Amino acid sequence: HLTFNINGKFMYAHNRYANTDAIGAAVSFDPTQPVYSSDAKFANFNNYWEWTQAASFGDSAWPLTKIDLATANPVALINGNLDRANSYDYMGNVEADYKIHGFEDLHLHVNAAGDWANGKKRQDVEPWSPANLYYGYHKTDHENKYNLNLSAYAQYLKDFAKTQHFDIMGGYEWRHEKYWGDYNEYGIYPSTNPTKKYNEQNSEWKSEHYLVSFYGRMNYSAFDRYMLTATFRADGSSRFAKGHRWGYFPSAAFGWKINNEPFLRNVKQIDELKLRLGWGETGQQEGIGDYLYFPVYQEPTSTQALYPAAGDGKQYIPQGYNGDLKWETTTTYNAGIDFGFFNDRLTLSLDGYYRKTTDLLNYIPVAAMSNLTNYLNSNIGDLENKGFEADVNGIIISKADMSLTVGANVAYNRNEITKLTASASDKTGVAVGGISGGTGNNVQMHQVGYPAYAYYVYQQVYDENDNPIFGEYVDRNGNGTIDADDMYFFHKPSPDWTLGMNINFTYGRWTAALSGHGSFGNWNYYNVASDNEALSDLWVNSFVSNRLSSCTKTNFETAEYLSDYYVRDASFFKLDNFTIGYTFPKLFSAAKRNVALNIYGTVQNIYTITGYDGLDPEIFQGIDGNFYPRPRTYTLGIKLNF
């Protein structure tokens, strides 16, 4: 009647982090220059080659410094940065389940869990590193956190008249997450005073949030044909102001096993024919920060925009806040049908859905000169998704010593913003999609009637050889002037179609499996090219920057960041994983127990079929910057089964 589960886990991790700026530097650094140089002028750079200029502080020990705007030596960026961390994580839970004596259809379930973690991170940047502003840099971070969870529910299960099944439950959940830490950082002066700390900063921080939930669920099935489910959740989050903290999310679903009806029960070719209908609401409140709904003042690191907020004689920096934040809510309607034929050797599922998200949480630009922040989280509007999914699986071969199964799924989705309640401009919506290059450039826009994150750019003009003409755009409104009114919406990063496939094959003791996935109708903004094709940046301010060879086609004198030329078709199909293995069923026997051995090999990220120009077409939200390529991974392994 009473069952206990007690679990515990301890983890220790040591990490060393690379300077990720080296990725972009490897693209832009002059490839005709060496990584190292024995020239005496590079002695203070640990003999790494750099673009240099005379030092401004007049220290004879440091006659040269790196040109600030020049691309840094990527190898020096990595090797001059020692950034490591140690972390400790303790997790555990106690779970109890009790069936009431004399009333066993009712049982009570309680689970209490906790996760405690702490870590220390230390970063030391060498005096010769091109990333160093102070001729030596030091930073330490301490972080602590805990996550406490308590859940409890009661569940009642009962069968009536052998044909009716009833299942009802109600429960409570409580979660508390807390984070706190501190950091210290400072630069070091040049050799005239190498022990002096420059611009030392110390800070402490704390954050926490709570989530409280009440929920219930009822399942009812009759005659093994009709199934009804209803649920309800009430979630309260400390991330919202009073009046907005609670969200209420109901759902209902109905299932009908048509093949169990008398008129189909004797049709042997049909193993399953099931109709499904569903409706439900879910809430979202992640990623918005813990204290965005009331005024917060931060201790200053500068002397700008300070206010005597606390009455303690000190000055503070005001942070942006939004007291009207509320739960993002998604309502979904779906209908589906499942088929099974020939002893379930062929199965097929079809689903259609309509999904509407209201009070969509996202960032919007803040008016200039507000002295608060550049972007602020807000409930910006409504978003609709419509689509369907199909999943088919087939057993092609099924014999004692050989089998072959094939599966595939395909999905279509179309999303559209249907309402904007907050925007940077009534005319153009909410600008998003920040890119590298220039100042404050965005190439995407949220706007009513268009997909989320749609590209908002100028229409490029091309010559007779299909090469883009520098500075020439289509005057779309015909007023004789190229200005912001000529920008237009051009494609989006989300795919129209997605595809997945898997093949599994066995022959005797051999097994093999292949899987892949595809995405079609998705477009990327190729930021690597837009930021590395301008000819004016080839030689500027006494240093050379590498340019992509494609600059010979564009011949752009300066960067054309807002041209639709850089919005590229990123459709692809990837072979993701291939695994092959062999099993020795009786490696040896001991005490009448066999030991089996399985040897296998796996290749991941096998091949990508695409016409996209960048390193990888699979880019989150469509901005392809200095992306570190996904590796192809080879694995050899053994498994012993005692």
Side-chain angles (χ1 to χ4, degrees):
H1 283 77
L2 180 61
T3 303
F4 275 101
N5 271 317
I6 301 175
N7 294 284
K9 181 185 290 187
F10 167 73
M11 292 184 293
Y12 165 76
H14 174 75
N15 291 289
R16 179 174 177 183
Y17 305 98
N19 186 338
T20 56
D21 290 342
I23 302 172
V27 173
S28 300
F29 192 74
D30 180 359
T32 67
Q33 302 299 342
V35 175
Y36 306 98
S37 175
S38 59
D39 192 320
K41 73 176 185 178
F42 298 113
N44 287 337
F45 299 97
N46 204 35
N47 294 113
Y48 288 100
W49 197 97
E50 299 287 355
W51 293 101
T52 60
Q53 63 185 0
S56 59
F57 44 78
D59 183 2
S60 59
W62 293 87
L64 298 174
T65 61
K66 172 186 165 295
I67 298 176
D68 291 338
L69 297 178
T71 304
N73 187 318
V75 181
L77 283 173
I78 293 175
N79 292 339
N81 179 70
L82 182 57
D83 192 359
R84 62 279 192 203
N86 297 315
S87 63
Y88 306 85
D89 202 343
Y90 316 84
M91 293 184 291
N93 76 292
V94 178
E95 189 175 19
D97 190 274
Y98 175 55
K99 294 181 180 180
I100 305 297
H101 278 78
F103 194 46
E104 282 77 6
D105 293 332
L106 176 64
H107 71 102
L108 308 177
H109 191 95
V110 178
N111 183 46
D115 181 359
W116 298 264
N118 61 82
K120 180 178 181 180
K121 184 172 180 285
R122 173 172 176 147
Q123 181 181 16
D124 291 290
V125 179
E126 296 286 352
W128 46 264
S129 170
N132 203 339
L133 300 177
Y134 308 116
Y135 305 90
Y137 174 81
H138 172 83
K139 182 178 181 180
T140 57
D141 287 276
H142 297 86
E143 181 174 338
N144 305 275
K145 66 178 181 179
Y146 67 72
N147 179 1
L148 303 178
N149 292 271
L150 174 66
S151 64
Y153 66 82
Q155 185 174 17
Y156 176 75
L157 302 97
K158 186 66 176 178
D159 292 329
F160 300 95
K162 297 183 180 180
T163 60
Q164 315 293 308
H165 175 76
F166 185 73
D167 173 0
I168 187 170
M169 69 177 299
Y172 167 82
E173 292 179 353
W174 174 88
R175 185 174 73 189
H176 178 211
E177 294 188 31
K178 186 173 183 178
Y179 313 85
W180 69 98
D182 60 76
Y183 78 90
N184 169 261
E185 62 176 319
Y186 56 85
I188 300 173
Y189 270 88
S191 58
T192 53
N193 194 349
T195 62
K196 184 176 181 180
K197 297 178 180 179
Y198 183 83
N199 194 25
E200 182 175 13
Q201 296 185 33
N202 296 280
S203 181
E204 296 182 8
W205 56 271
K206 296 179 181 180
S207 186
E208 66 178 338
H209 63 266
Y210 291 84
L211 181 67
V212 176
S213 304
F214 298 90
Y215 60 89
R217 185 193 68 202
M218 185 274 291
N219 290 323
Y220 175 72
S221 62
F223 306 104
D224 195 26
R225 297 198 295 272
Y226 314 110
M227 294 153 287
L228 179 65
T229 298
T231 69
F232 181 80
R233 288 187 66 93
D235 294 313
S237 173
S238 65
R239 288 171 166 160
F240 303 111
K242 291 181 179 180
H244 297 307
R245 285 182 179 165
W246 285 93
Y248 304 98
F249 309 108
S251 69
F254 172 74
W256 179 23
K257 290 186 177 181
I258 306 174
N259 59 293
N260 285 348
E261 293 289 352
F263 59 86
L264 282 179
R265 191 170 294 166
N266 295 323
V267 180
K268 297 182 180 179
Q269 293 84 354
I270 300 178
D271 301 294
E272 183 178 32
L273 178 57
K274 181 180 179 181
L275 176 68
R276 294 176 282 105
L277 301 173
W279 165 87
E281 294 183 347
T282 56
Q284 151 68 8
Q285 51 98 41
E286 296 296 334
I288 65 171
D290 297 328
Y291 307 119
L292 284 182
Y293 65 89
F294 62 84
V296 173
Y297 293 84
Q298 183 179 344
E299 290 187 346
T301 56
S302 66
T303 59
Q304 298 180 353
L306 302 182
Y307 296 86
D312 58 0
K314 297 181 180 179
Q315 303 272 341
Y316 296 89
I317 301 176
Q319 304 297 298
Y321 74 97
N322 182 354
D324 294 324
L325 279 178
K326 63 183 70 173
W327 283 87
E328 175 183 298
T329 302
T330 298
T331 303
T332 302
Y333 302 84
N334 73 283
I337 190 167
D338 302 325
F339 299 93
F341 304 101
F342 316 116
N343 293 322
D344 283 333
R345 294 190 62 162
L346 176 63
T347 60
L348 174 65
S349 293
L350 302 174
D351 283 272
Y353 62 87
Y354 168 79
R355 183 178 300 123
K356 183 171 184 177
T357 301
T358 58
D359 298 319
L360 186 71
L361 286 166
N362 210 311
Y363 288 93
I364 63 170
V366 175
M369 307 303 292
S370 66
N371 291 330
L372 294 175
T373 183
N374 292 326
Y375 288 86
L376 187 64
N377 218 319
S378 179
N379 298 101
I380 68 167
D382 300 345
L383 175 71
E384 288 184 355
N385 281 272
K386 303 174 184 177
F388 67 85
E389 302 173 356
D391 187 86
V392 60
N393 293 275
I395 302 175
I396 310 301
I397 301 174
S398 180
K399 296 182 178 180
D401 61 344
M402 184 169 59
S403 68
L404 173 64
T405 62
V406 178
N409 60 77
V410 62
Y412 170 81
N413 184 77
R414 180 178 181 273
N415 80 81
E416 179 183 333
I417 295 174
T418 58
K419 179 181 178 182
L420 278 179
T421 56
S423 66
S425 166
D426 292 336
K427 183 176 181 179
T428 56
V430 178
V432 291
I435 61 171
S436 173
T439 302
N441 282 320
N442 294 281
V443 296
Q444 293 173 327
M445 185 77 67
H446 292 326
Q447 176 62 298
V448 172
Y450 295 92
Y453 297 97
Y455 299 106
Y456 191 66
V457 287
Y458 290 103
Q459 185 177 357
Q460 183 67 52
V461 175
Y462 296 83
D463 62 19
E464 64 276 7
N465 297 316
D466 200 32
N467 293 323
I469 301 175
F470 170 67
E472 293 291 330
Y473 299 111
V474 175
D475 182 10
R476 294 180 62 89
N477 63 2
N479 67 354
T481 303
I482 302 299
D483 54 27
D485 290 336
D486 293 304
M487 299 179 73
Y488 77 117
F489 289 93
F490 183 64
H491 296 297
K492 79 285 189 242
S494 58
D496 297 319
W497 296 87
T498 55
L499 173 69
M501 55 79 66
N502 63 84
I503 301 173
N504 292 275
F505 178 72
T506 64
Y507 180 73
R509 299 173 183 174
W510 289 94
T511 60
L514 177 68
S515 64
H517 77 286
S519 179
F520 307 95
N522 51 299
W523 292 65
N524 287 344
Y525 176 82
Y526 193 17
N527 199 183
V528 175
S530 67
D531 204 27
N532 290 278
E533 283 188 343
L535 297 177
S536 61
D537 291 336
L538 180 62
W539 170 259
V540 61
N541 297 326
S542 302
F543 64 88
V544 172
S545 293
N546 193 21
R547 303 290 87 186
L548 295 182
S549 60
S550 53
C551 70
T552 59
K553 178 179 180 178
T554 58
N555 286 311
F556 286 169
E557 296 176 17
T558 57
E560 299 291 324
Y561 294 112
L562 301 182
S563 170
D564 66 2
Y565 172 73
Y566 292 111
V567 180
R568 310 285 175 84
D569 187 351
S571 299
F572 67 87
F573 181 79
K574 289 186 175 185
L575 290 176
D576 295 321
N577 185 292
F578 177 70
T579 299
I580 187 169
Y582 185 83
T583 299
F584 298 89
K586 295 182 179 181
L587 184 64
F588 60 86
S589 299
K592 298 182 180 180
R593 297 181 182 273
N594 294 325
V595 178
L597 172 66
N598 175 254
I599 301 176
Y600 65 92
T602 298
V603 183
Q604 293 178 301
N605 192 19
I606 303 170
Y607 192 74
T608 301
I609 302 171
T610 184
Y612 182 63
D613 297 322
L615 288 177
D616 194 319
E618 196 168 12
I619 303 294
F620 178 68
Q621 290 189 351
I623 306 296
D624 184 4
N626 290 310
F627 174 78
Y628 192 83
R630 294 180 176 92
R632 178 175 295 122
T633 304
Y634 301 88
T635 303
L636 291 175
I638 61 171
K639 294 180 181 179
L640 289 171
N641 186 10
F642 296 92

